[in-house]
Amino acid sequence: MLYSLRSRLMAAFSILLIVPFTVLVYTLTDRSAKSIQSSVEVSTSQTIEQYASHIDTLLTQVEDTGNQVLGSPIAQEWLAGLRNDELSPGEKLLSKRRMKEFLSSLAINDSNGISIGVFADGAGGIWRQDRSYAEQEWYGEYRERGVKWTRSHLDPDQADESLADRAINGYVLPLVQLQSLRSMGVIKVNYPTELLRAPLEKIRFGETGRAFLLDSEGRSVLGENEAGEADELDGADEPDGTEEAGALTEGGLLGDALGEIRGRTADAPAGFFPIRRNGTDYLLFYRHLPEPNWTIVGVVPEDELFVEIRQTRNAMLLISGLLLVVVIVVAFGLSKGVTRPLSRMARAMRQVKLGDFDKALKLMPSVKSGHSELGFVTDAFEQMTHRLKYLIETEFETNLRRKNAEYKALLLQINPHFYNNSLEIIGGLAAMKREDLVMDAAEALGQMMRYSLNLNTDRVRVAEEFAYIRDYLFILKLRYDEDLEFRIEEEEGAGDALVPKFILQPLVENAVKYSLEKGAAEAASVFIGSCVSDGRLRLTVADNGIGMAPELAADLARDALQKEKDAASILNSAGDRIGLRNVLARCRLNYGEGFRFEIDTEPGRGTSITLNLPWSRS
């Protein structure tokens, strides 16, 4: 049985399916894992970048608010009053009241819930009117190191005492009298820490991965510990866990990576890199914000970030292995199920090859030992293919001759119909004694006859068909003068397409005819256009005539789409727009199912017919 079909099928499946399939599955899963991993890394970086954009927007608004306070006339007037000893206490009190009202209005109108404090060197805070602010950490860092953007803290110097228990961050800038450029204190614009903490807490990587916002010394800007939890704030100024928050990067994973992050930000403000600690591989993402000198740091164990990728890869390998087993089983079943019918068919094909189907049903000779069923069946099918090919070619030639005869009959129907109308037009011109135009009309008709008598091909360029239509409309224009208007638009490139000859003339003839039937209320207007859309040629003929009844339009659509519609019925039909039926029948004969057309009509308003044809240049 070495030469049996089943044995060779199983060998082919083993060699050509099992090995390549295994290699393909492993390669695809490996490439998919790398692609998904890269996508996860990019997505995580984009998440951090979005948070950085949020911070930039918020800090820009806060900074603008501080500059608005500094540059306001009310603030400058108040500062001038502090230095003017000639002002009475009442005038100074009134100036200070206006300053408070101005700061309150800015805070009320801000949607982020900011509050503004002003601290004059000689007058204390504008709200508490003492110098307790000088003992707070934010003030010391500003004076000693010029730190303008504070970490999360509590500030009792607020316009509303209820705000004193709210965790805030602030922006500090010098309070300068612009006239003398003398620094007289500081302005502090406070904004809720929650504005930065809430979106940061939503950034999650895996199950335990978190993101942190660190200042230039590696301390948490939002008062968080390394577990990502916000430290409670007491009534003083610093977090209860000040030491823990300050040591966020000391001795921890972030501390190990902070030095490398600082070195990398010199070349790239954002990026990611792997780091290993206590036998665990982590992936750190960072984004440096130069203006506040903060750094967004995201840290996550690699196993957590890519756990779904590995699970998916393992699942794909498992499913692929199961499918491979199923394929082998099915292949064995198919080989067994296919060879038996083929063996029976092989015995019958001896008679099918001779065309004697009755004898093939009665005689089922056995195949000689040692011969391959597949070789015999292949030989039988080859003989049958030759015979079927001969039958198909004979039938095709017969159908082609029949369609060609139908086409010629339809074409012959157009020419007498058109020339009769053209001679009537020339006769009408002669009757009206328009001898000066008879020669022009005769010349145009002669050009049209030369076009009609060219029987070398039944397909012409669109440009030739449009030239023919121009001659035809020239004759009609001579006859109807101002009662007929026409417009022709040819899209560049559409004129190279090949279409059946005389495809437009019957449509234009109907358009003129039914437009003139509306009477003298308005001139007959005809539009002929060509364009190329979606790789197909569109030819449109539109008029402002009497329109078409909906029943007739539906009937034309049915006739054009019926594959077995007899062309003889079109030749023998009378009225009901014979020219349009003729064109639709010819298009169906030429293009088959590739032909489409559209009729847009309304009784009394006109008709637009569009032939949608496959694009062809040969």
Side-chain angles (χ1 to χ4, degrees), residues 188-255:
K188 183 166 177 279
V189 183
N190 304 312
Y191 55 95
T193 300
E194 192 66 15
L195 291 178
L196 296 180
R197 182 184 294 161
L200 184 66
E201 291 176 348
K202 295 179 181 178
I203 301 177
R204 298 288 182 179
F205 315 117
E207 295 182 1
T208 62
R210 286 300 307 270
F212 304 89
L213 185 60
L214 308 179
D215 64 7
S216 59
E217 298 180 9
R219 299 176 299 176
S220 173
V221 174
L222 306 180
E224 296 176 301
N225 54 38
E226 192 160 0
E229 300 172 349
D231 291 313
E232 296 294 332
L233 300 179
D234 60 16
D237 181 57
E238 291 297 318
D240 272 345
T242 299
E243 294 182 0
E244 186 177 11
L248 180 61
T249 60
E250 296 178 6
L253 175 63
L254 296 181

Side-chain angles (χ1 to χ4, degrees), residues 382-419:
E382 183 179 0
Q383 298 295 329
M384 291 177 62
T385 300
H386 287 301
R387 185 172 181 82
L388 288 173
K389 181 180 179 182
Y390 169 77
L391 294 174
I392 291 173
E393 287 179 349
T394 302
E395 181 66 20
F396 178 77
E397 290 178 359
T398 302
N399 289 336
L400 188 61
R401 292 192 188 97
R402 178 174 58 81
K403 285 193 173 184
N404 190 50
E406 292 175 351
Y407 173 79
K408 294 296 184 181
L410 292 172
L411 193 58
L412 288 174
Q413 181 196 12
I414 289 180
N415 292 338
H417 184 58
F418 164 71
Y419 289 125

